[in-house]
Structure formats: C-alpha cells, structure tokens
C-alpha cells in the first residue's frame, strides 16, 4: 500500500489546515489509518487514528478538541482537520496504515506497516 500525504503548509497560530492521506490504487477498507508527527527533537508522536470500517476514532490528548480525523469515502481519503493551531504543532506529519491494528495499540507507530512520505506543517507565532 502506497500512501500519499498532502495539505501541509505555513499558517499563523490560531489558523487551520486540513491534511489528506490517500492510498494509491485502493481504498482503506480493512485498515486503520493514523496520523503521526515528528520534529527533529522528538520521537514520532501519535496524533489521531481511525478505523476505516466502522469509523471509530482516537485522538491524542494534546490535540483533542482541536484536531479531527475523518474518512471521506467519496475521495477515498483520511483527512485531519486541524484547527486552533499552535506553534508547538509544527512538525512533519505522516499518515500510516495498518491492516490488523488492535484498538489498544492504535497509538503505537510499530503497529502500522505502511507510511506516507510526510507533509510539513509550520505554525508561526
């Protein structure tokens, strides 16, 4: 499964961005799709995940109430709507997909076998 992430950019604090992740040549049926982020100083950090079938979601506490992950069946994408962005949200954002991710393991990057190339989000103060 080849993943492609898009939608990153430069935004002022308090602004919004929407990231999208698509899988080449297929849908996400049967997969859990997640967003992670990473800065040079930190390990890869879980942001949010969605089980494509059923739509159950999980959001990290650091983004809860500001970010929303969703599946768009028309576009066959998983989107991350990011509102009220803060400078500390600045990172490279990666989408990932896993075919057999148990609910309790959704925040673990090792649970995902497929990764996109990352898209840079920069939030200026």
């Amino acid at each position: 499964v080849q993943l492609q992430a898009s939608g990153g950019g430069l935004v002022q604090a308090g602004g919004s961005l929407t990231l999208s992740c698509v899988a080449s040549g297929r849908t996400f049926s049967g997969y859990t799709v997640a967003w992670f982020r990473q800065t040079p100083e930190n390990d890869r950090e879980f942001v949010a995940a969605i089980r494509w079938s059923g739509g159950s979601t999980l959001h990290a506490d650091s983004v809860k109430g500001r970010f929303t992950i969703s599946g768009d069946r028309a576009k066959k994408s998983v989107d991350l709507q990011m509102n009220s962005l803060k400078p500390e949200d600045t990172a490279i954002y990666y989408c990932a997909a896993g075919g057999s991710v148990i609910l309790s393991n959704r925040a673990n990057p090792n649970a995902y076998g497929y990764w996109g190339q990352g898209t840079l989000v920069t939030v200026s103060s």
Side-chain angles (χ1 to χ4, degrees):
V1 178
Q2 290 188 317
L3 305 179
Q4 184 167 2
S6 62
L10 173 64
V11 64
Q12 289 189 325
S16 299
L17 281 175
T18 301
L19 306 183
S20 288
C21 179
V22 296
S24 296
R26 61 157 297 149
T27 70
F28 287 117
S29 179
Y31 283 80
T32 296
V33 182
W35 286 96
F36 289 81
R37 64 187 182 186
Q38 189 166 22
T39 65
E41 297 81 20
N42 298 314
D43 293 334
R44 198 159 290 190
E45 177 192 13
F46 171 76
V47 177
I50 184 168
R51 177 161 284 181
W52 185 261
S53 302
S56 67
T57 62
L58 176 69
H59 295 80
D61 288 343
S62 59
V63 306
K64 203 169 291 183
R66 300 188 298 122
F67 293 10
T68 303
I69 191 170
S70 62
D72 188 321
R73 295 187 182 277
K75 295 191 311 179
K76 301 177 183 178
S77 67
V78 169
D79 299 334
L80 184 69
Q81 175 67 44
M82 306 187 295
N83 299 325
S84 303
L85 283 160
K86 305 175 182 180
E88 52 263 44
D89 294 318
T90 295
I92 299 175
Y93 284 70
Y94 297 89
C95 65
S100 54
V101 181
I102 60 175
L103 287 177
S104 62
N105 212 26
R106 287 177 292 178
N108 182 354
N110 294 324
Y112 298 88
Y114 305 99
W115 291 82
Q117 83 285 6
T119 185
L120 176 63
V121 172
T122 304
V123 184
S124 63
S125 57

